[in-house]
Amino acid sequence: MTRAKFEQRKIMLRTQEQVERAVAALRNAPLDELKPLEFLLREEVKTRKPDQNSLMWVGPLKDISEQVWVGQRQCSVEMWHEHFKKEFLPEEYDPELCRREDYRKWDFGPDGSRILVGSTTDLTIRGFAQHLDQVHAFGGQHGVEFHEPPPRG
């Protein structure tokens, strides 16, 4: 007989009460030789900050879209964003850079073609900072003068 699906739980260990709750959860976890549960204990993975995202759109992406020419045309902020995801998102899961273990940059469509499914929302604070560094480096190599984004408010 197979056990019922086990719903994932996340317990942040900040207090002794939370430690006791985690120990109780582990003690009561179902054992299953064919479908074992995975126990993972790690430091909290910080997600990127909303300000990082908004600053990217009004900062380097805007500057690049206004100053870099490809052939005889300029590309939109959205086109540059897609280009940089293809170029700079991690190819594989890296706990320092990606928020979730099921991170994937690519998937395959029904016709077998490779499709970009990765997103900058999949990145940790550190991963997003690295992504922005790579975007800035690209701009610098193409003579972009970066401007301070307008103040938020």
Side-chain angles (χ1 to χ4, degrees), residues 2 4 9 13 19 29 31 45 55 63 75 79 81-82 84 96 99 114-115 118-119 122-123 128 143:
T2 39
R9 297 177 198 156
L13 300 180
V19 169
L31 301 177
V45 176
L55 291 177
D63 290 337
C75 295
M79 293 287 279
H81 178 60
E82 289 301 312
F84 293 137
E96 296 289 317
R99 292 177 38 210
R114 192 168 80 152
I115 300 170
S119 169
D122 296 328
L123 301 175
F128 197 76

Side-chain angles (χ1 to χ4, degrees), residues 36-55:
L37 296 179
E38 176 182 37
F39 177 74
L40 174 66
L41 187 64
R42 66 177 180 197
E43 288 187 16
E44 179 184 15
V45 176
K46 301 278 187 188
T47 58
R48 70 183 182 152
K49 299 173 185 172
D51 281 355
Q52 283 180 303
N53 184 52
S54 57
L55 291 177

Side-chain angles (χ1 to χ4, degrees), residues 3 20 22 24 32 38 48 55 57-58 63 75 83-84 104 108 112 120 124 134 141-142 151-152:
R3 64 173 166 74
E20 290 166 14
D32 189 327
E38 176 182 37
R48 70 183 182 152
L55 291 177
W57 289 93
V58 298
D63 290 337
C75 295
H83 172 75
F84 293 137
R104 289 177 302 137
F108 293 93
T120 56
T124 61
Q134 292 167 313
Q141 293 167 352
H142 289 83
R152 294 179 47 124

Side-chain angles (χ1 to χ4, degrees), residues 106-117:
W106 303 103
D107 203 346
F108 293 93
D111 63 353
S113 62
R114 192 168 80 152
I115 300 170
L116 178 70
V117 295

Side-chain angles (χ1 to χ4, degrees):
M1 184 168 137
T2 39
R3 64 173 166 74
K5 179 168 174 40
F6 186 83
E7 291 299 320
Q8 180 175 313
R9 297 177 198 156
K10 181 176 182 178
I11 301 172
M12 304 301 289
L13 300 180
R14 293 186 180 102
T15 66
Q16 188 58 38
E17 180 184 328
Q18 291 163 326
V19 169
E20 290 166 14
R21 192 175 321 139
V23 169
L26 187 57
R27 259 195 211 108
N28 295 314
L31 301 177
D32 189 327
E33 192 68 34
L34 299 175
K35 203 172 174 185
L37 296 179
E38 176 182 37
F39 177 74
L40 174 66
L41 187 64
R42 66 177 180 197
E43 288 187 16
E44 179 184 15
V45 176
K46 301 278 187 188
T47 58
R48 70 183 182 152
K49 299 173 185 172
D51 281 355
Q52 283 180 303
N53 184 52
S54 57
L55 291 177
M56 174 183 67
W57 289 93
V58 298
L61 288 178
K62 183 175 185 290
D63 290 337
I64 289 169
S65 73
E66 292 174 349
Q67 298 175 44
V68 174
W69 289 77
V70 179
Q72 296 197 9
R73 69 183 186 100
Q74 291 176 296
C75 295
S76 69
V77 172
E78 293 81 6
M79 293 287 279
W80 282 115
H81 178 60
E82 289 301 312
H83 172 75
F84 293 137
K85 288 192 311 181
K86 288 178 185 174
E87 292 295 312
F88 303 138
L89 284 179
E91 291 296 324
E92 301 177 349
Y93 171 73
D94 178 333
E96 296 289 317
L97 306 177
C98 308
R99 292 177 38 210
R100 297 186 338 262
E101 290 181 31
D102 63 348
Y103 167 81
R104 289 177 302 137
K105 181 175 180 175
W106 303 103
D107 203 346
F108 293 93
D111 63 353
S113 62
R114 192 168 80 152
I115 300 170
L116 178 70
V117 295
S119 169
T120 56
T121 61
D122 296 328
L123 301 175
T124 61
I125 291 172
R126 182 177 182 179
F128 197 76
Q130 177 179 297
H131 182 77
L132 281 178
D133 287 347
Q134 292 167 313
V135 169
H136 277 104
F138 172 91
Q141 293 167 352
H142 289 83
V144 172
E145 284 187 42
F146 291 106
H147 300 91
E148 283 295 314
R152 294 179 47 124

